[in-house]
Amino acid sequence: CEVSLPYFTKGLNVSDSVGELLRCLTVITDSANWSVSEIALPFWVLLEKELYTDRREVCEEYAPLFTKVAPILLTRASYSATPAPLNSEECEEFWTYRERVAAALQSCFQIIPDIFLQTLHVSTEERKNWQRMEIKLFSLNTIASRLSSPSPMPQPSSSDFPSSISSLLSLAIEIINSPSQPPPHLLMTALKLTETYANWMETMNQKELLGLGLSAVFKRLTHSDS
């Protein structure tokens, strides 16, 4: 699959017969079986790279496809209701799969930046589900390098995108600051996100948020249950 994709993407056009193959790849991506789902993951990365070298209009043409794929990736990379313990072999295997999903998520962000950030919004209802919060914090962490690198192609155009990121960072800090012990997988992701975006908070003059983040991390480090 990976060998043929570079040649396949050279002639891609949404309106031609390749549409059926795209639908098949989307279905494969949505498989609950990691070993099946990961077969299609390199395709989205290679497709983004091909589109990235082309015109902006071509990226816009493929926006609906990536808009459909992004939520699928979020679902597939989410922890189960009873995830394997940290440092277990099963958890390590899932993290390997997640790394491949992360690359595909970066590609989605590159093509549909504004829509992708909207997808990461955490609703009031989702705050009751730690897995939904965790995957959205994880996804924000995966695109950090794309936010900091210059790009001639689609970038977040909404003036609200810094506040969208700040909102997710505030959620991460709230999780770290929780008086009760958060699920370990969620806490780990929240801590990592706060670390990753420390420079972003300083650059974007989010010094109050940065201060709250540092305070929360230091407090958590001294927490007896950590």
Side-chain angles (χ1 to χ4, degrees):
C1 184
E2 290 186 54
V3 173
S4 63
L5 279 174
Y7 302 98
F8 171 75
T9 54
K10 289 295 183 183
L12 270 180
N13 186 300
V14 171
S15 61
D16 64 19
S17 58
V18 101
E20 183 60 32
L21 182 53
L22 291 174
R23 283 188 288 274
C24 289
L25 286 164
T26 302
V27 171
I28 293 172
T29 303
D30 198 21
S31 173
N33 186 321
W34 306 342
S35 61
V36 173
S37 175
E38 67 182 1
I39 293 172
L41 296 179
F43 173 81
W44 306 114
V45 177
L46 288 168
L47 177 57
E48 176 254 318
K49 289 180 179 178
E50 290 297 322
L51 297 176
Y52 195 72
T53 60
D54 215 319
R55 303 182 308 278
R56 181 183 297 271
E57 306 83 67
V58 178
C59 287
E60 292 173 350
E61 186 179 0
Y62 277 84
L65 176 62
F66 280 89
T67 299
K68 182 177 181 180
V69 170
I72 291 174
L73 294 172
L74 292 182
T75 299
R76 289 296 146 232
S78 296
Y79 284 110
S80 65
T82 54
L86 293 174
N87 299 323
S88 67
E89 184 176 346
E90 184 180 349
C91 192
E92 292 286 348
E93 291 175 356
F94 184 55
W95 284 349
T96 299
Y97 169 70
R98 278 186 125 199
E99 288 176 3
R100 292 168 183 156
V101 173
L105 286 170
Q106 289 179 359
S107 294
C108 288
F109 172 72
Q110 198 69 58
I111 303 300
I112 50 166
D114 289 306
I115 295 173
F116 187 85
L117 287 175
Q118 291 169 15
T119 303
L120 299 189
H121 171 72
V122 179
S123 67
T124 302
E125 190 63 28
E126 286 178 318
R127 280 175 168 262
K128 301 175 185 177
N129 184 316
W130 74 262
Q131 291 96 334
R132 292 304 295 168
M133 290 192 292
E134 192 280 335
I135 190 56
K136 295 193 175 186
L137 297 181
F138 169 82
S139 299
L140 180 61
N141 196 58
T142 66
I143 65 170
S145 61
R146 299 286 182 118
L147 281 171
S148 60
S149 61
S151 169
M153 293 303 281
Q155 288 287 295
S157 58
S158 171
S159 58
D160 292 335
F161 95 87
S163 62
S164 299
I165 295 174
S166 296
S167 177
L168 286 165
L169 290 172
S170 295
L171 175 59
I173 293 169
E174 181 182 328
I175 291 166
I176 299 169
N177 249 336
S178 175
S180 59
Q181 179 71 3
H185 303 74
L186 175 61
L187 177 59
M188 182 179 67
T189 299
L191 286 166
K192 187 173 183 179
L193 182 67
T194 304
E195 177 188 5
T196 300
Y197 277 83
N199 288 336
W200 183 90
M201 286 185 274
E202 184 175 10
T203 302
M204 298 299 290
N205 202 29
Q206 299 275 348
K207 294 181 180 179
E208 181 179 356
L209 189 62
L210 177 59
L212 290 172
L214 291 173
S215 176
V217 171
F218 288 140
K219 181 179 178 181
R220 178 56 63 178
L221 287 175
T222 58
H223 199 287
S224 58
D225 294 331
S226 294

